[in-house]
Amino acid sequence: MSNVSILIAAIILCVTVECQCSEEPEIKPLNTVNPITKSSRLLFVPAPSYSHLNVLKIIATDLCQSSEYHHQCTFAVFDEQLDSFRSATNIFKVITFGKIPLPPKVDGSKIKTTLQFHSHITLPFFSNLYKPMHHALMNHLKTNTYDLLIINMFAFAAQDIAYDLKIPYVILAYTTVEGNLILPSWIPRGYDFMTPTDLTMSIIRRFYNKFIVPIQMLYYLWPHMQRLDRIRIECNRSTHGSFSTPIIQRWNGHPVLLPYSRAFDFKRPLSMNYHYVGFVTGESQADASKSEDDKSVQFWLNKNSEDKEEKEVIMYVGLGESYKKSLK
């Protein structure tokens, strides 16, 4: 099994939760689950992004098909992601949230910084997913129980439901944003292009990083946190009520999996619940159907490799998350 699957299996082994829910769908109390002797029921809630979804599919496949565990894995996705499961219906169960709400219209020419991108695109988009995700999950949980939820960092509704109903959950995150508002002046926050060397060499940049960037973070991100709290109230969920790092408040005390190398993250202290699990990629599918784009790229690669006169080097650049499955 991969390191990710072993870690999740260990988490399941330690789960002992008694659900105390008032005015909510009846959730049966969960007993200690031993993955070696009993198949556990796992619900995966990805973000509607293929790069995020693929990582969870690889982890779930490992957990379902392992000769040791054979867990029962269910995915909760939007309609637009159903095609990804056409060839995996014998492995996973799939429930749907319905169609993805239309994203907000944004003038891209006005977006100059990462914080502006999060403010105008990322958080409005994921906030719009809250209600359809919440309502579908609550209806599903009326007749289904799970031993553990594995939730994407942007699936806010799933995190809140698991938190309020006391269902054990794990977060799959793609960044270590813990304590970003209170970092020392010499540690980059990742919202600009300043490096540790830049900050070390300039007291002005350290001042900017220490005092100005946190103000910018609050200016751009806090209104969306307030909006999320209003949506939570409408859905009868508890609110965050915190001014410090509100996005990850629900992560406290729960395992956070980081599917990339520790070398890609700036060295700084993190809570004990953060776990670097390394790269994860799926096995190549030789029999998978190829699109016209795939065929044209394959033809171009083969043509160049057969041309003895050309001495060009072909470099592959992958955009988004890139994972390599850990050795067993």
Side-chain angles (χ1 to χ4, degrees):
M1 295 188 66
S2 67
N3 293 340
V4 187
S5 305
I6 294 173
L7 180 58
I8 294 179
I11 292 167
I12 300 171
L13 179 64
C14 300
V15 170
T16 304
V17 176
E18 294 181 359
C19 294
Q20 299 174 351
C21 309
S22 59
E23 300 181 1
E24 299 288 0
E26 182 181 359
I27 308 295
K28 296 179 181 179
L30 302 178
N31 298 319
T32 301
V33 179
N34 187 334
I36 298 177
T37 59
K38 180 180 179 180
S39 174
S40 301
R41 292 171 54 84
L42 311 179
L43 177 63
F44 292 79
V45 187
S49 164
Y50 285 108
S51 56
H52 289 213
L53 171 64
N54 289 338
V55 179
L56 285 179
K57 284 180 62 179
I58 295 163
I59 295 173
T61 300
D62 219 15
L63 290 170
C64 289
Q65 298 185 330
S66 166
S67 59
E68 298 179 76
Y69 301 109
H70 295 294
H71 295 298
Q72 301 174 39
C73 298
T74 301
F75 273 83
V77 299
F78 286 89
D79 289 351
E80 289 80 355
Q81 296 173 293
L82 290 176
D83 286 342
S84 299
F85 295 90
R86 299 298 183 195
S87 60
T89 53
N90 61 326
I91 304 175
F92 313 124
K93 294 181 179 179
V94 182
I95 65 171
T96 179
F97 300 133
K99 292 186 176 298
I100 297 176
L102 292 176
K105 295 182 179 181
V106 177
D107 184 358
S109 63
K110 296 181 179 180
I111 298 176
K112 306 297 183 183
T113 68
T114 303
L115 280 173
Q116 290 175 347
F117 179 84
H118 288 324
S119 178
H120 294 293
I121 295 180
T122 305
L123 289 175
F125 174 71
F126 287 114
S127 297
N128 287 344
L129 304 181
Y130 193 102
K131 285 187 176 180
M133 182 181 290
H134 176 274
H135 298 333
L137 280 177
M138 291 300 292
N139 287 332
H140 181 69
L141 291 173
K142 291 178 180 178
T143 54
N144 297 269
T145 59
Y146 293 94
D147 302 302
L148 184 71
L149 271 59
I150 296 89
I151 307 172
N152 184 275
M153 63 181 295
F154 292 117
F156 300 123
Q159 295 177 41
D160 293 340
I161 289 174
Y163 178 87
D164 286 349
L165 301 187
K166 297 180 174 60
I167 303 174
Y169 61 95
V170 173
I171 300 296
L172 186 71
Y174 296 85
T175 181
T176 52
V177 296
E178 180 179 282
N180 263 3
L181 286 174
I182 55 175
L183 285 178
S185 62
W186 51 273
I187 295 182
R189 286 180 168 82
Y191 295 113
D192 49 43
F193 295 102
M194 287 191 293
T195 66
T197 302
D198 295 331
L199 296 173
T200 301
M201 300 297 292
S202 172
I203 190 172
I204 295 178
R205 289 183 176 180
R206 290 202 301 274
F207 176 87
Y208 178 86
N209 186 54
K210 178 65 177 179
F211 298 104
I212 305 301
V213 175
I215 294 175
Q216 292 176 335
M217 291 171 61
L218 293 174
Y219 173 78
Y220 284 112
L221 305 182
W222 187 250
H224 298 287
M225 297 302 100
Q226 291 180 312
R227 182 194 173 202
L228 271 174
D229 267 356
R230 290 194 293 270
I231 297 175
R232 289 185 177 103
I233 292 173
E234 294 174 9
C235 295
N236 198 29
R237 300 269 67 85
S238 61
T239 60
H240 279 279
S242 172
F243 195 68
S244 175
T245 57
I247 295 178
I248 62 170
Q249 186 186 21
R250 296 280 159 86
W251 301 4
N252 295 337
H254 295 270
V256 179
L257 307 183
L258 301 169
Y260 58 81
S261 171
R262 183 186 295 271
F264 285 164
D265 201 28
F266 188 82
K267 301 295 188 297
R268 60 186 177 92
L270 290 171
S271 299
M272 294 296 291
N273 58 317
Y274 280 78
H275 303 278
Y276 289 91
V277 295
F279 297 122
V280 183
T281 58
E283 304 295 339
S284 61
Q285 298 178 353
D287 59 341
S289 60
K290 293 182 174 61
S291 67
E292 290 303 317
D293 289 338
D294 295 330
K295 294 177 181 177
S296 62
V297 170
Q298 186 176 31
F299 173 80
W300 180 81
L301 290 172
N302 292 338
K303 180 179 181 298
N304 279 273
S305 63
E306 296 171 357
D307 192 343
K308 304 299 182 181
E309 297 181 0
E310 296 291 338
K311 302 298 182 182
E312 297 178 352
V313 176
I314 298 174
M315 178 181 292
Y316 170 78
V317 179
L319 302 179
E321 290 72 22
S322 178
Y323 304 93
K324 181 177 181 180
K325 190 171 181 180
S326 304
L327 294 177
K328 296 183 180 180

